[in-house]
Amino acid sequence: MRGDMPRILASLALFFFLVPVTFVRGPEPTGNTSQDITLEPIVLDSEDPARTKLGQLEFLGGWRMTSDHHQFGGISAMLVMDGNRFFMLSDAGVLIGFTLNEQDNAAERLFVAPLPDGPAKPNEFARKIWDSESLVHDPETGQFWVGFEDQHSIWRYGPSFARKEAKRDLAIAKKWPANGGSEAMLRIPGDATKDTQFLIFSETAPYRKGGTQALIAMADPAEATTTFKRFGYQAPAGYRITDAALLPDGRALILNRRFTPLDGISAIVSIADPTKIKPGTVWDATPIARLKSPIRVDNMEALAVTTEGEDIIVWIASDDNFSVVQETLLMKFRLLRGKAKRRSSSPEPENEKAEESPGFSSLE
């Protein structure tokens, strides 16, 4: 029995990592609705607490986040606005908002609330399964876009998430695995000559030329008239994309995750240029940092970028899968050798015939 114990523990770890603790039948259980979040400061490296350097990232601080609210956790995407105002989105379709007071290690002006609308339940007995995995924002209009992984759909919400404005089922992604859909999304601002475009990444759907499938939405992906083109994304070997965010100079940071029972959890942050994307080809990225034990790491799924003066700040958060054996972590880094001027860029649209998929949009 003693010789089997490592294998048993590894199997249990794999179970808790891959199987979120959710209810899919019957009424939703009642729970604590506390609007408090506790932030416990953490160090980067448990074996070297003074360490701050991690590849091209410099650790500035981090926190273990806990709350008694029964819907807290499962962080899959996040946005960070001015004044350290955070909007985190869980894979259960719940928004977690707060202002981070770094000096006092406190979450202030916070709320925990579900999205105003989302995909329909699979049947009358099931609980709502809003597998929301990706999130982007237009700072000029205040609109938000959310990618739902299991349903392969994109929904657009109005300012402050007040209401759903439009939604579209992506027929072009109908063959993507149910648990490998719109894992990450990027919004590429347009200019006088190009419309704003969106990049939508599958976590696991293989691309014929290598890597995993991704889509270029030539305009708003929630609208029925928008056309799409395919390309591939090549993650580091053994890793899967979990989120992406634009840098001020137009390049993209990409968060990639890996888990094996023997090696545990790790993550790689990569950097790539969206202007190099061409339909029908594979887009790859250059790794700049790796998070692996003894570095504090969990199921890293959410990524955001802000600026402080001339510094580019990188935020990374983890998805605890609503599991008692995992953690919700929030980590803050400075991007080294990354002080570039702002510019707008769009992926190149040529070299592959546009694939248009039917859909619908609606206003409420």
Side-chain angles (χ1 to χ4, degrees):
M1 179 68 178
R2 179 176 298 177
D4 292 335
M5 187 57 65
R7 186 164 57 253
I8 294 172
L9 292 175
S11 298
L12 286 173
L14 180 63
F15 173 81
F16 282 112
F17 185 82
L18 296 177
V19 182
V21 181
T22 57
F23 296 86
V24 296
R25 292 185 63 86
E28 294 189 33
T30 58
N32 193 313
T33 57
S34 168
Q35 294 288 304
D36 291 325
I37 296 175
T38 299
L39 300 182
E40 174 191 343
I42 61 174
V43 297
L44 177 66
D45 186 337
S46 60
E47 296 182 358
D48 182 6
R51 179 180 178 182
T52 60
K53 184 75 179 301
L54 188 69
Q56 287 182 236
L57 297 179
E58 180 186 4
F59 182 68
L60 300 179
W63 300 266
R64 175 176 177 263
M65 304 176 63
T66 57
S67 175
D68 290 332
H69 196 292
H70 70 287
Q71 291 183 311
F72 179 84
I75 307 303
S76 292
M78 68 176 169
L79 299 169
V80 186
M81 312 296 192
D82 292 341
N84 271 7
R85 186 65 179 165
F86 282 74
F87 289 92
M88 293 180 165
L89 178 64
S90 82
D91 54 20
V94 173
L95 288 167
I96 301 167
F98 62 93
T99 298
L100 175 62
N101 182 333
E102 297 181 58
Q103 182 176 352
D104 295 337
N105 298 308
E108 302 171 344
R109 297 175 53 220
L110 60 90
F111 68 86
V112 181
L115 290 169
D117 199 359
K121 297 190 299 183
N123 61 69
E124 62 178 315
F125 302 104
R127 179 188 176 187
K128 290 182 296 188
I129 304 176
W130 290 358
D131 195 3
S132 44
E133 291 287 343
S134 50
L135 171 66
V136 295
H137 174 245
D138 181 350
E140 294 186 3
T141 66
Q143 294 169 311
F144 298 86
W145 288 260
V146 172
F148 291 93
E149 181 179 52
D150 188 66
Q151 295 80 11
H152 306 314
S153 62
I154 304 294
W155 290 52
R156 189 182 74 234
Y157 299 87
S160 301
F161 285 99
R163 66 188 181 106
K164 177 259 292 180
E165 293 184 342
K167 62 179 180 178
R168 179 171 180 181
D169 296 327
L170 303 181
I172 192 173
K174 65 182 179 181
K175 293 184 179 180
W176 287 3
N179 196 36
S182 307
E183 183 71 21
M185 182 161 44
L186 279 173
R187 177 181 174 273
I188 312 295
D191 54 30
T193 62
K194 295 181 180 179
D195 291 333
T196 294
Q197 298 178 359
F198 293 72
L199 307 180
I200 302 167
F201 297 85
S202 168
E203 181 182 4
T204 59
Y207 188 58
R208 66 184 187 277
K209 296 182 180 180
T212 52
Q213 292 185 40
L215 304 174
I216 305 171
M218 307 307 292
D220 186 340
E223 292 293 343
T225 56
T226 296
T227 58
F228 294 84
K229 299 182 180 183
R230 295 184 198 269
F231 68 100
Y233 166 68
Q234 183 63 66
Y239 286 77
R240 296 176 177 178
I241 186 172
T242 58
D243 207 355
L246 281 185
L247 292 168
D249 66 359
R251 293 177 299 164
L253 275 188
I254 303 170
L255 182 61
N256 308 274
R257 172 197 61 203
R258 180 174 184 260
F259 175 81
T260 67
L262 294 180
D263 296 332
I265 304 172
S266 62
I268 287 179
V269 179
S270 300
I271 194 166
D273 185 354
T275 65
K276 304 299 183 183
I277 295 174
K278 294 183 179 180
T281 65
V282 178
W283 186 50
D284 57 13
T286 302
I288 63 168
R290 183 182 186 190
L291 290 79
K292 184 179 180 181
S293 181
I295 299 298
R296 190 70 171 262
V297 64
D298 207 288
N299 177 26
M300 313 311 278
E301 285 223 11
L303 179 71
V305 171
T306 59
T307 58
E308 293 181 2
E310 292 296 313
D311 291 329
I312 296 174
I313 304 300
V314 178
W315 302 89
I316 303 176
S318 67
D319 174 0
D320 67 355
N321 286 314
F322 300 100
S323 168
V324 296
V325 299
Q326 293 180 251
E327 299 178 307
T328 300
L329 303 177
L330 174 62
M331 306 176 80
K332 179 182 181 181
F333 298 89
R334 177 188 290 114
L335 179 63
L336 303 177
R337 291 175 285 168
K339 299 176 181 178
K341 294 182 179 180
R342 295 177 182 270
R343 65 178 173 84
S344 297
S345 59
S346 298
E348 299 181 26
E350 69 271 16
N351 295 343
E352 184 173 280
K353 183 179 179 181
E355 299 179 69
E356 184 173 1
S357 57
F360 59 93
S361 62
S362 62
L363 294 174
E364 292 183 345

